Amino acid sequence: MKQGKLIVLSAPSGSGKTTLVKYLLHKEELNLDFSISAASREPRSGEIHGKDYYFLSLREFKDKIKADEFLEWEEVYRDNFYGTLKTEVQRIWDKGKHVIFDIDVVGGLDIKRIYPDRTLAIFVKPPSIEELKIRLKKRKTESEDKINMRVAKASTELATAPQFDAVVTNDDLEKAKAEVLQLVKKFIVN
């Protein structure tokens, strides 16, 4: 099986990358499958192991790092690891599909570095930091401290945008959907 292409959507938390990934996954002509990330955190309400994330204990995650089982990984917050298992990408390629990632900026840039010609890295930019905070609060999934931590991290993440192949500002969801669809279609055809 020849290796497929890799579509990376990265952004600060609350920018809308998950919404855009779900939109792209429903476009059958793109032949995409979702790369399920591994995480060392507890599942949030409604999250399912093997569908939303592979939830691993901190020890399991560190053991997989030592065994070189990750394509990329990062300690996003203290003792809070996220990463992409090599077997996950291979699982999707074995199905004859392209891989789409909903991933943080460091992981997204790592994948682009490892597969420079095979990866389209798209940075999803929020309209503003203020709007980002409003979106995170509307989720009602995290404490005020966690939200503040994510907002503080967002300015660092925004600085990485120029390193991506494309930047899509999500200030109008329908416009952002159309933009990412066009970018991905063009990349897959080439």
Side-chain angles (χ1 to χ4, degrees), residues 83-170:
T84 303
L85 292 161
K86 293 175 182 176
T87 54
E88 181 63 6
V89 172
Q90 197 58 55
R91 172 188 73 81
I92 295 168
W93 281 346
D94 287 349
K95 288 168 43 175
K97 294 188 170 245
H98 303 293
V99 186
I100 189 165
F101 299 86
D102 173 345
I103 193 169
D104 78 324
V105 296
V106 173
L109 291 171
D110 283 348
I111 289 169
K112 179 70 179 176
R113 184 182 42 77
I114 295 164
Y115 293 105
D117 300 330
R118 178 165 295 211
T119 304
L120 172 64
I122 302 170
F123 186 91
V124 181
K125 190 175 169 187
S128 67
I129 293 286
E130 295 74 31
E131 177 62 23
L132 191 71
K133 192 166 188 172
I134 291 165
R135 290 178 184 180
L136 290 170
K137 283 183 177 186
K138 280 184 184 174
R139 280 185 185 174
K140 296 184 179 168
T141 56
E142 295 170 328
S143 68
E144 190 70 27
D145 283 349
K146 281 259 188 188
I147 289 170
N148 289 334
M149 199 164 62
R150 289 189 185 279
V151 169
K153 187 175 186 219
S155 54
T156 305
E157 292 170 321
L158 287 166
T160 68
Q163 297 174 54
F164 284 76
D165 298 314
V167 177
V168 173
T169 301
N170 186 12

Side-chain angles (χ1 to χ4, degrees), residues 164-190:
F164 284 76
D165 298 314
V167 177
V168 173
T169 301
N170 186 12
D171 54 356
D172 174 331
L173 184 57
E174 294 311 309
K175 184 172 156 262
K177 284 178 179 179
E179 210 173 322
V180 294
L181 179 60
Q182 192 57 40
L183 287 164
V184 173
K185 272 185 179 176
K186 185 177 175 190
F187 181 72
I188 286 176
V189 170
N190 291 337

